[in-house]
Amino acid sequence: MNKGFFISFEGTDGCGKSTQIKLLAEYLKSKGREVVISREPGGSPVGEKIREILLNADNVEISSMCELFLFEAARAQHMDQIVMPALNEGKIVILDRFIDSSIAYQGFGRQLGVECVETFNHYAIGGRYPDVTLMLELSPETAFVRKGGNDVKDRMEMTGNDFFKRVGEGLSFAAEKYSDRIICVNVEGTCQETHARICEIIDKAIGE
Ligand code: TYD
């Protein structure tokens, strides 16, 4: 049986994360691998309910620590119910956002600090870190243009520019601190160029 392989994707809004995840999954399936795509917050039935609480723009009163615990609660359930069983069955799991989003958004954005978030991340995932994390990098200007700029905002998107500036710093911090696991991919080029680069990275990481 194949060995399970765990990939997470991170990056700012508008960087084409979900498109790249789909393309990578198709590529890996075409090579005969079983692939599970999932997302955070969410992924499990309970996690999707927690996602609704976290993103609902009406829940303005959620405190920063409550927010962190909700992300981690959804994550713990996701690992237990979806991610670990799939990995144990030899599948490739690809996640749209994972622990590094908590470092960036809660650690830096909400200013809860790296140490605090690292600790809860570690417990929530039971010590099973991704084999590779792809951090998609795009300038804020290009991201804004690609995103269209004026869609309806969820609760996380209702925060100000300072918050997003700190999130950006958090992502860079994570890329540097966890450089044994995180590979940065510049996505300013075409979708196909980025896809080719990602396939190359993953083939190498899986050892094919
Ligand atoms: P979603 O629409 O899934 O993300 P995307 O921006 O990739 O389309 O919304 C998830 C939001 O939750 C996003 O703003 C990032 C945020 N988030 C955290 O703040 N902490 C976390 O640990 C995770 C996984 C996400």
Side-chain angles (χ1 to χ4, degrees), residues 154-170:
D154 65 39
R155 193 185 61 85
M156 294 304 295
E157 290 165 346
M158 281 164 45
T159 29
N161 285 342
D162 287 356
F163 176 83
F164 283 104
K165 197 165 162 272
R166 289 197 298 275
V167 169
E169 286 162 11

Side-chain angles (χ1 to χ4, degrees), residues 13 17 40-41 51 71 75 97 101-102 105-106 156:
D13 254 13
K17 223 168 359 92
E40 291 210 349
R51 177 186 177 89
F71 277 112
R75 179 164 298 142
R97 293 194 182 279
S101 282
S102 298
Y105 283 76
Q106 283 66 55
M156 294 304 295

Side-chain angles (χ1 to χ4, degrees), residues 92-166:
I92 296 178
V93 176
I94 308 178
L95 296 192
D96 188 341
R97 293 194 182 279
F98 195 49
I99 46 175
D100 304 298
S101 282
S102 298
I103 296 286
Y105 283 76
Q106 283 66 55
F108 279 73
R110 301 290 188 215
Q111 300 179 301
L112 292 177
V114 173
E115 226 172 275
C116 162
V117 177
E118 274 180 340
T119 303
F120 290 112
N121 273 346
H122 187 78
Y123 282 110
I125 67 175
R128 179 54 165 108
Y129 287 83
D131 296 301
V132 176
T133 297
L134 295 166
M135 175 96 57
L136 306 191
E137 289 188 321
L138 190 62
S139 69
E141 295 75 28
T142 318
F144 187 78
V145 172
R146 287 199 189 165
K147 202 170 171 273
N150 63 347
D151 57 348
V152 179
K153 289 185 165 42
D154 65 39
R155 193 185 61 85
M156 294 304 295
E157 290 165 346
M158 281 164 45
T159 29
N161 285 342
D162 287 356
F163 176 83
F164 283 104
K165 197 165 162 272
R166 289 197 298 275

